Amino acid sequence: MECCDHPWGTRVRRGGYTGPVSTSRIEAFSDGVFAIAITLLVLEIKPPVHSTDLWHDLGRLWPSYVAFVVSFFTIGVIWVNHHRQFELFVRADRTLMFLNLLLLLWVAFIPFPTSVVAEYFREGGQQDVATAVYAGTFLAMGLSFFAMWIYAGRSRLLDDRLSGAQLRLLTRRNLLGQIGYAVAVALAFVSATASLALCAAIALYYVHPGRSGE
């Protein structure tokens, strides 16, 4: 499709759609969303009110502490890998922007299932459903991340210096997490505690960048 020069210097395709653009503004906006989401997590930990045994009541909040740590760590790992992924994107287009927005939607949503899973673990009922929703949110987030990576590869938005072997390795590594989260959703109905542990293990797995990131 032919393009023309916009008066302000932006390349615009016929029909008003912009061509490939820099990723800097996407990264800046994303960083803001990550920062807000990770901060909101702590607001879901409600202090005991009118407690007569504060140590005991603080101890009863252990599900909130665990959920906070797992979610904080997961969002942090997502942010680190999002930064790494955008280092491999040499440019962005309109579709990539919307796929990134979809990812940020799920990142911003994480504080809610974090609060739900903490509440139902604390109350001791329907932990399976709460944990399934929690792991399902991570699955949706991971699929959005994976979709952005696949689209960038097919649309030639990636650094040309990446070899075919590196691309395949990164794609398999990315896909592995989605499989893990899908297993965590199913596992929630067998053992909610094991499902939470698996979500934490997946985050730990992605701490290391992999051979292509060294």
Side-chain angles (χ1 to χ4, degrees):
M1 182 178 293
E2 294 181 0
C3 296
C4 57
D5 289 325
H6 190 278
W8 294 310
T10 305
R11 298 287 290 175
V12 180
R13 299 177 182 176
R14 294 192 185 281
Y17 293 99
T18 58
V21 296
S22 168
T23 64
S24 57
R25 289 189 64 189
I26 301 176
E27 292 178 79
F29 177 73
S30 300
D31 285 348
V33 174
F34 279 113
I36 292 171
I38 210 167
T39 302
L40 288 176
L41 290 173
V42 74
L43 300 181
E44 300 302 328
I45 304 178
K46 309 298 183 184
V49 179
H50 307 305
S51 175
T52 57
D53 187 347
L54 187 56
W55 280 115
H56 176 266
D57 290 340
L58 286 172
R60 287 188 68 247
L61 293 177
W62 71 264
S64 294
Y65 307 145
V66 172
F68 169 78
V69 170
V70 173
S71 294
F72 186 97
F73 192 54
T74 299
I75 293 177
V77 170
I78 298 167
W79 173 71
V80 170
N81 285 298
H82 183 272
H83 175 68
R84 171 56 181 157
Q85 183 160 279
F86 268 83
E87 285 181 341
L88 302 177
F89 295 166
V90 293
R91 55 191 174 275
D93 63 11
R94 187 181 182 88
T95 301
L96 188 72
M97 292 178 186
F98 278 109
L99 288 173
N100 188 68
L101 276 177
L102 180 61
L103 169 65
L104 297 179
L105 180 152
W106 293 112
V107 170
F109 185 70
I110 288 175
F112 172 70
T114 300
S115 177
V116 170
V117 79
E119 177 68 21
Y120 280 87
F121 262 80
R122 190 163 52 247
E123 298 301 324
Q126 301 188 73
Q127 298 171 352
D128 54 349
V129 176
T131 307
V133 171
Y134 184 70
T137 300
F138 287 157
L139 174 60
M141 174 275 302
L143 289 173
S144 301
F145 199 96
F146 187 63
M148 189 163 57
W149 171 256
I150 293 298
Y151 174 78
R154 292 179 176 177
S155 301
R156 299 184 178 181
L157 302 178
L158 297 174
D159 193 327
D160 292 334
R161 290 173 294 180
L162 280 172
S163 67
Q166 287 176 312
L167 284 172
R168 288 189 294 273
L169 178 63
L170 287 168
T171 300
R172 287 195 300 269
R173 179 175 168 80
N174 201 322
L175 180 60
L176 186 59
Q178 317 332 313
I179 295 172
Y181 284 130
V183 171
V185 173
L187 187 59
F189 297 100
V190 178
S191 171
T193 302
S195 178
L196 284 178
L198 179 55
C199 288
I202 293 169
L204 282 171
Y205 170 74
Y206 283 113
V207 168
H208 193 277
R211 285 178 294 170
S212 60
E214 293 176 348

